[in-house]
Amino acid sequence: MTSRSLASSLRSDAEGRLDQLPYGRLLDLSFRKSGDEVWLSMPYADALVGAPGRLHGGAIAGLLEIAALARVITALPETDRSPRIRPVTITVDFMREGTPAETIASAEITRLGRRIANVVVRAWQADRTRPIAGANVNFLIDYPDA
């Protein structure tokens, strides 16, 4: 199930950390909201290095997936029942190398149904118009029986 504390924080706080998610804590992720948009920030750390001086693709993919999840959580209506949100398909496109710098990601929902959410995510460093990676993510949204 989606953590109530995570959902509450993402819905009500203008900014915060994603320590409720173990991988969010490992990547040192924080979020900032502006309107309907949620930006996730991943600071550079030596532990995130793949090839010398470059971000590991798994760290970038993790950032993209969590950014998509955060956007879906903020778009779902608040109910007494917390849904289970599971990724079905994640397709990551690496566009350029990630350098030793902060990486930002933001997601846009292209379809939000009762059971399926389709999300497009982009990650960038200094310039939003020059993304380093993007992803298409499909989630299954499963509400527990009442």
Side-chain angles (χ1 to χ4, degrees), residues 4 9 26-27 34 36 38 40 51 59-60 71 94 108 113 142 146:
R4 287 187 184 269
S9 178
L26 178 73
L27 296 177
S34 176
D36 286 342
V38 179
L40 266 61
I60 296 169
R71 183 61 190 103
F94 295 99
E108 176 186 343
D142 186 24

Side-chain angles (χ1 to χ4, degrees), residues 14 32-39:
R32 186 176 73 231
K33 287 186 345 189
S34 176
D36 286 342
E37 193 169 29
V38 179
W39 287 21

